[in-house]
Amino acid sequence: MLAVQIADHGGPDVLTPIQVERPNPEGDQVLVRNHWIGINYVDLQHRAGTPYPVALPLVPGTEASGVVEAVGPTGDPSLVGQRVVHFGHLAGVYAELTAVPAANMVLLDDGTPLDVAAAVAIAGTTAHVLVREAVTNVAAKTVAVHAAAGSTGGAVVQLAAADGAQVIALTSSKEKAKVARQLGADHAIPLAAHPDPVADVQEITGGRGVDIVYDATGRDTFELSLAMLATRGTLVMYGAITGTPPPFRLDRLSGITAPRRTAGSLSLRWASASHYLSDATARAHATHAVLTAVRKGNVTPRIVDRFPLSEAATAHRRLADRSVTGKLLLAATPNP
């Protein structure tokens, strides 16, 4: 079968299409013929081998949708022929076939397009965790969302707005700010044109600040995020694309020693979706909640481009240039 493998860490060119043996499902694993594969920033990190290493050689990828072809010796044979989405694992996803741990698979109903399922599996369930579990009851709260035009940031904007929050979108450009407004943000601040976004947030909120900041950017935005918070506000980090923030004194959360501000009693939380979607029941609940939001029109899959599996390197280059305002997919079959 066709797969895309990384033999050495590096740039997009290390993604090499090769022919490999079909995987044999073990235990309760299911063998899924992938139709659509989602591309995520974590795939770029696995390829580069930073900020943490992965074992090589590696067939990367963490989400896909398709149809079950076989099950392992202890698997459920009734799953054969079922349409599924699988995500949250590192088990050879950039491939025509993947042996998937049963706990990472979610059954789909016949009305859910496979490309939609692949597009919202990680971004959508991560947004669900951030908006509805990491911090509860966002209704009537004011939230700021970094990278608000990206696949996950955009999903956070949509879910938070649908759940009744006032949303301030933070984007890198005016074009992306326009996208964030279309997704439901009440305000959008293009950082390239606004040298003091904290002042903008203070103006929007009448000097109060925001209740929640969602930030996956990391080092480059960490200080801004803290400075935007209102008293008793929470900074929710769920990634560090630009690197890990430097160490800081815990007493800064008191507000007494923090620069530029007086708000205090702040909270800092790191929310990894995998810690919330740690079993099959939680994973299925989050997936179906997001797909329900899609059906209601509260969340859109936002698929902006599709590439053949063999062109994974091109897709990685596209995602890395930071111009993407939605989801990129790989087609794992000729006519998915």
Coordinates of all heavy atoms in Angstrom, one line a residue, residues 5-16 44-49 54-59:
Q5 N 6.4 8.4 4.5 CA 7.2 8.0 5.7 C 8.3 9.1 5.9 O 8.7 9.8 5.0 CB 7.9 6.7 5.4 CG 8.8 6.2 6.6 CD 9.5 4.9 6.3 OE1 10.5 4.9 5.6 NE2 8.9 3.8 6.7
I6 N 8.6 9.3 7.2 CA 9.7 10.2 7.6 C 10.9 9.3 8.1 O 10.7 8.6 9.0 CB 9.3 11.1 8.7 CG1 8.2 12.0 8.3 CG2 10.5 12.0 9.1 CD1 7.5 12.8 9.4
A7 N 12.0 9.3 7.4 CA 13.2 8.5 7.8 C 14.2 9.4 8.6 O 14.9 8.9 9.5 CB 13.9 7.9 6.6
D8 N 14.2 10.7 8.3 CA 15.0 11.6 9.1 C 14.2 12.9 9.3 O 13.4 13.3 8.4 CB 16.3 12.0 8.2 CG 17.2 10.7 8.0 OD1 17.8 10.2 9.0 OD2 17.2 10.3 6.8
H9 N 14.4 13.5 10.5 CA 13.8 14.8 10.7 C 14.3 15.9 9.8 O 15.4 15.9 9.4 CB 14.0 15.2 12.2 CG 13.3 14.4 13.2 ND1 12.0 14.1 13.2 CD2 13.8 13.7 14.3 CE1 11.7 13.3 14.2 NE2 12.8 13.0 14.8
G10 N 13.4 16.8 9.5 CA 13.8 17.9 8.6 C 12.6 18.6 8.0 O 11.5 18.6 8.6
G11 N 12.7 19.3 6.9 CA 11.7 20.0 6.2 C 10.7 19.1 5.5 O 10.8 17.9 5.6
P12 N 9.8 19.7 4.7 CA 8.8 19.0 4.0 C 9.3 17.9 3.1 O 8.7 16.9 2.9 CB 8.0 20.0 3.2 CG 8.2 21.3 4.1 CD 9.6 21.2 4.6
D13 N 10.5 18.1 2.6 CA 11.1 17.1 1.6 C 11.4 15.8 2.2 O 11.6 14.8 1.5 CB 12.4 17.7 1.0 CG 12.1 18.8 0.0 OD1 10.9 18.9 -0.5 OD2 13.0 19.6 -0.3
V14 N 11.4 15.7 3.6 CA 11.7 14.4 4.2 C 10.5 13.5 4.1 O 10.5 12.3 4.4 CB 12.2 14.5 5.6 CG1 13.5 15.4 5.7 CG2 11.1 15.1 6.6
L15 N 9.3 14.0 3.8 CA 8.1 13.2 3.6 C 8.2 12.5 2.3 O 8.1 13.0 1.2 CB 6.8 14.1 3.6 CG 6.5 14.8 4.9 CD1 5.5 16.0 4.7 CD2 6.0 13.8 6.0
T16 N 8.3 11.2 2.4 CA 8.6 10.3 1.2 C 7.5 9.3 1.0 O 7.3 8.5 1.8 CB 10.0 9.6 1.4 OG1 11.0 10.5 1.8 CG2 10.3 8.8 0.2
L44 N 3.7 18.7 11.6 CA 4.9 19.5 11.2 C 5.9 19.3 12.3 O 7.1 19.2 12.1 CB 4.6 20.9 11.0 CG 4.1 21.3 9.6 CD1 2.7 20.6 9.3 CD2 3.9 22.8 9.5
Q45 N 5.5 19.3 13.6 CA 6.4 19.2 14.7 C 7.0 17.7 14.7 O 8.2 17.6 15.0 CB 5.7 19.4 16.0 CG 5.2 20.9 16.2 CD 4.4 21.2 17.4 OE1 3.6 20.3 17.8 NE2 4.5 22.3 18.0
H46 N 6.2 16.7 14.5 CA 6.7 15.4 14.4 C 7.7 15.2 13.3 O 8.7 14.6 13.4 CB 5.5 14.4 14.2 CG 4.6 14.3 15.3 ND1 3.3 13.8 15.2 CD2 4.8 14.5 16.6 CE1 2.7 13.8 16.4 NE2 3.6 14.3 17.3
R47 N 7.4 15.9 12.1 CA 8.3 15.8 11.0 C 9.7 16.5 11.4 O 10.8 16.0 11.0 CB 7.7 16.5 9.8 CG 8.5 16.4 8.5 CD 8.1 17.5 7.6 NE 8.7 18.8 8.0 CZ 8.0 20.0 7.9 NH1 6.7 20.0 7.5 NH2 8.6 21.1 8.4
A48 N 9.6 17.6 12.1 CA 10.8 18.4 12.4 C 11.5 17.8 13.6 O 12.7 18.0 13.8 CB 10.5 19.8 12.7
G49 N 10.8 17.0 14.4 CA 11.4 16.4 15.6 C 11.6 17.4 16.7 O 12.4 17.2 17.6
V54 N 10.3 12.1 18.2 CA 9.4 10.9 17.9 C 10.4 9.9 17.3 O 11.4 10.2 16.6 CB 8.2 11.2 17.0 CG1 7.2 12.1 17.7 CG2 8.7 11.9 15.7
A55 N 10.0 8.6 17.5 CA 10.9 7.5 16.9 C 10.7 7.5 15.4 O 9.6 7.6 14.9 CB 10.5 6.2 17.6
L56 N 11.8 7.3 14.8 CA 11.9 7.1 13.3 C 12.3 5.7 12.9 O 13.0 5.1 13.7 CB 12.9 8.2 12.7 CG 12.5 9.6 13.0 CD1 13.6 10.5 12.3 CD2 11.1 10.0 12.5
P57 N 11.9 5.2 11.7 CA 11.1 5.9 10.8 C 9.6 6.0 11.2 O 9.2 5.2 12.0 CB 11.2 5.0 9.5 CG 11.5 3.6 10.1 CD 12.4 3.9 11.3
L58 N 8.9 7.0 10.7 CA 7.6 7.3 11.2 C 6.7 7.5 10.0 O 7.0 8.3 9.1 CB 7.6 8.5 12.1 CG 6.2 9.0 12.5 CD1 5.5 8.1 13.4 CD2 6.4 10.4 13.1
V59 N 5.5 6.9 10.0 CA 4.4 7.3 9.1 C 3.5 8.2 9.9 O 2.9 7.8 10.9 CB 3.6 6.1 8.6 CG1 2.4 6.6 7.8 CG2 4.5 5.2 7.7

